[in-house]
Amino acid sequence: MNAGLTLRERSEAEASRLPPLLARAEHLAGTVLLGDHGRRRSGMGDDFWQYRPAQVGDSRRMIDHRRSARGDQQFVREREWQIAQSVMLWVDQGASMRFASDASLPTKADRARLLGLATSILLARGGERVGLTGTTLPPRRGNAQIIRLAQAWSEDDQADYAPPEHRAMIPHARAVFISDFLGPMEEVELALSKAADRGVRGVVLQVLDPGEENFPYRGRTIFESVGGSARHETLKASDLRDRYLARLAERKDTLMRLCRVTGWQLGLHHTGDSAQAALLWLYSALDGGRV
């Protein structure tokens, strides 16, 4: 009985988060002016591009039965316009994203989800297909897909750091990664390298709390990971400041190098800054511009 109540309460809590997130993302997307033509592009026809293995979420009518009849695996026939107008997103759901140094600030997770969903809304309005990296939610069009994205991003990952998803990258599509990128960099390097190998180009947005940038801590301080797996107590927090800032700068340099090598664009956003400015940068960067 208690387990059932816990499950029901958890489900109701997740459902209650969905409408506000959607409403806020719709409002934020509405503040960005796209011009008269949105993102629809000329020159994209129905020419055959490639066959790819069917993924979870593909409808039965997408299956090419003639190609699939040659073996035991089902294949989808993709056309040029489908590839060019597909954008895959990964928004970090790890516990480290649920940090805020001050009650007046949103958590990094809240800001990342808001930006990811608002970007998806803008892309969908421009006629593009949006979805998640991986196999759980392939890129699609329409408002129903936006709701699916909001549902997917309403769930937290219990691990301190969630690695970026890099399975089933659609060749020559585009992608968006939003995270604090404070976890193991090996996973980030693997994801960007695999994406680059498949001709995927995209945008990396690092979201940090102002406290993580400034390290304002002094005196006796207890540092504890959001997930509770790590804890460190010090009597003189200021003694750690220089070493911490050096490590953070080193991590930013690594991320910048990875983006430069793979051809991705890198942005930095602080949760105390304007979400509208970050959204405008994301949208412009996806279109190949630089803001």
Side-chain angles (χ1 to χ4, degrees), residues 84-101:
Q85 295 185 333
S86 292
V87 181
M88 302 165 289
L89 297 98
W90 172 68
V91 173
D92 191 344
Q93 304 287 83
S96 73
M97 295 293 288
R98 299 195 289 277
F99 172 74
S101 62

Side-chain angles (χ1 to χ4, degrees), residues 50-255:
Q50 67 171 6
Y51 291 110
R52 66 163 172 83
Q55 302 172 353
V56 176
D58 289 336
S59 64
R60 293 185 63 86
R61 68 169 181 262
M62 296 172 65
I63 304 298
D64 189 289
H65 297 286
R66 180 176 297 180
R67 172 64 180 85
S68 301
R70 300 178 191 172
D72 297 329
Q73 190 172 13
Q74 291 184 317
F75 285 86
V76 168
R77 180 186 180 96
E78 289 192 314
R79 294 176 170 83
E80 183 182 4
W81 66 269
Q82 292 175 318
I83 297 295
Q85 295 185 333
S86 292
V87 181
M88 302 165 289
L89 297 98
W90 172 68
V91 173
D92 191 344
Q93 304 287 83
S96 73
M97 295 293 288
R98 299 195 289 277
F99 172 74
S101 62
D102 189 276
S104 64
L105 295 170
T107 65
K108 293 180 289 183
D110 181 78
R111 181 56 58 85
R113 290 165 176 166
L114 178 63
L115 291 174
L117 194 57
T119 300
S120 300
I121 290 170
L122 291 178
L123 293 168
R125 288 177 181 173
E128 308 219 20
R129 304 190 310 167
V130 292
L132 299 177
T133 55
T135 60
T136 57
L137 192 59
R140 291 179 179 173
R141 286 190 173 88
N143 291 331
Q145 183 75 341
I146 298 300
I147 294 175
R148 295 186 193 105
L149 287 170
Q151 290 171 334
W153 288 330
S154 70
E155 301 173 2
D156 293 327
D157 194 314
Q158 298 309 308
D160 277 334
Y161 303 106
E165 175 63 80
H166 50 70
R167 293 173 296 171
M169 284 282 187
I170 301 173
H172 307 290
R174 285 161 297 148
V176 177
F177 285 4
I178 306 177
S179 170
D180 58 11
F181 295 101
L182 296 181
M185 290 301 290
E186 294 82 6
E187 293 290 341
V188 179
E189 183 171 6
L190 175 62
L192 290 180
S193 298
K194 289 185 70 173
D197 289 344
R198 306 206 75 184
V200 176
R201 294 292 181 269
V203 178
V204 164
L205 182 65
Q206 185 177 31
V207 177
L208 294 176
D209 182 277
E212 293 172 325
E213 283 277 35
N214 303 325
F215 200 84
Y217 309 105
R218 301 288 185 272
R220 181 178 180 272
T221 307
I222 298 175
F223 297 99
E224 186 173 13
S225 64
V226 178
S229 64
R231 188 177 187 272
H232 176 72
E233 181 177 354
T234 179
L235 296 177
K236 296 184 67 176
S238 57
D239 288 350
L240 302 176
R241 189 173 189 273
D242 289 344
R243 280 181 289 167
Y244 167 82
L245 293 178
R247 289 283 297 275
L248 181 61
E250 180 182 346
R251 181 168 291 266
K252 288 181 178 180
D253 288 343
T254 299
L255 197 56

